[in-house]
Amino acid sequence: MIVRITSGITGFDELTVPGDDLGFALGGIPENTITLLYGPVGVGKSLFCHSFTYQGLSTDEPCLYLTTDQNFSTIYHNMEDLGLSLQEYMEGTMLQVIDASSNGEKLEDSPTHQSSNVKNPTDILVKVSRGINSISQNNPRFRGVVDSITAILESNDEMLIMRVLKSYILRVKQAGGTAIITHTQGSADPRTEIIIKSMADNIIRVDGKTLVIESMKGLGRKKAPYEITGEGLILGKEE
């Protein structure tokens, strides 16, 4: 049986309950897999990541969060607005952040927060690898978020970033992690987007109205409507 971890997204775990005749199976995201979450700009990809991250932290699963679109100070406050306070997890080193965004207020580097640059994928990979080693030493499972791969692709040779992404995925899996990678649809060469999809175990598309699970370990194609609310994404019943 495939072990699934709770997603934190309202309605998602119900949507992903496999057809287990014994009724023992639970829904969620398959453990120790990589999920590609893609779609246009402004359709809730980051909100998905926020809920996924917080769900892990609140159940003693640490998280390594790489942000490239928004500085982490903004993410911190956005999550506070959703009622998802990160303060205790930052203090307790449950949440480790690599901030490679290029805009807005930056936090000072600390044991749980490091700065990087989307134009320096080597530095990002070094800090990600260091973070994975640190976080996995005392934790058999953890969560990873890359939000998003798009800004790194736009600032570097796409094939170089494919090698960096491959290394990231390998290290997460070897360390027992479960990760989400977001990507803005149509922002890279179509061939590159095909390669990105081929690296992921699970593929989810969102368009602002409907969430489509295009592929997921142990699960067929599924879709459900969703709304973006003040509490994050809320999925309706399966279509």
Side-chain angles (χ1 to χ4, degrees):
M1 185 175 71
I2 297 173
V3 176
R4 297 173 187 273
I5 61 173
T6 52
S7 66
I9 294 88
T10 303
F12 185 88
D13 294 358
E14 290 79 0
L15 178 67
T16 51
V17 173
D20 187 328
D21 292 339
L22 299 176
F24 295 147
L26 299 175
I29 296 175
E31 187 177 41
N32 199 208
T33 63
I34 305 298
T35 297
L36 173 66
L37 178 66
Y38 80 101
V41 174
V43 295
K45 297 187 293 295
S46 293
L47 284 176
F48 192 109
C49 293
H50 296 168
S51 296
F52 173 77
T53 297
Y54 192 80
Q55 177 65 33
L57 294 174
S58 63
T59 53
D60 295 328
E61 289 181 33
C63 182
L64 178 66
Y65 200 112
L66 168 61
T67 176
T68 65
D69 289 341
Q70 294 180 308
N71 66 79
F72 192 72
S73 179
T74 300
I75 293 173
Y76 184 96
H77 292 299
N78 287 345
M79 291 183 69
E80 288 271 343
D81 291 341
L82 294 171
L84 311 177
S85 176
L86 297 175
Q87 184 65 36
E88 66 174 296
Y89 302 114
M90 294 291 289
E91 294 173 350
T93 69
M94 284 286 286
L95 176 61
Q96 297 197 24
V97 177
I98 299 168
D99 187 344
S101 67
S102 58
N103 56 348
E105 177 189 357
K106 292 268 191 178
L107 301 175
E108 291 185 5
D109 281 0
S110 70
T112 58
H113 179 277
Q114 297 183 77
S115 298
S116 190
N117 191 306
V118 291
K119 296 181 180 179
N120 192 344
T122 301
D123 181 67
I124 291 175
L125 186 57
V126 166
K127 289 177 177 173
V128 163
S129 298
R130 190 184 303 153
I132 290 174
N133 290 338
S134 170
I135 215 165
S136 63
Q137 280 183 346
N138 300 313
N139 299 281
R141 61 172 56 168
F142 68 92
R143 299 190 181 203
V145 170
V146 177
D147 187 26
S148 69
I149 193 69
T150 305
I152 307 175
L153 283 169
E154 290 175 344
S155 303
N156 300 279
D157 178 80
E158 292 187 354
M159 288 302 105
L160 168 63
I161 300 308
M162 291 303 96
R163 293 196 291 274
V164 170
L165 185 58
K166 185 176 181 180
S167 295
Y168 170 78
I169 289 172
L170 180 63
R171 292 173 190 186
V172 167
K173 287 195 164 189
Q174 286 178 335
T178 304
I180 291 178
I181 298 169
T182 70
H183 175 59
T184 300
Q185 185 178 14
S187 62
D189 186 288
R191 291 170 296 181
T192 301
E193 296 194 338
I194 290 173
I195 296 174
I196 295 173
K197 287 184 177 180
S198 72
M199 292 183 184
D201 300 295
N202 317 305
I203 302 175
I204 301 173
R205 183 177 186 277
V206 285
D207 63 8
K209 296 181 179 178
T210 306
L211 180 147
V212 180
I213 298 174
E214 297 184 351
S215 66
M216 181 170 281
K217 290 185 71 173
L219 197 72
R221 180 184 177 92
K222 294 201 172 191
K223 66 178 182 178
Y226 73 92
E227 295 182 4
I228 298 176
T229 75
E231 298 177 348
L233 298 190
I234 295 181
L235 269 66
K237 291 187 178 181
E238 180 180 359
E239 293 181 342

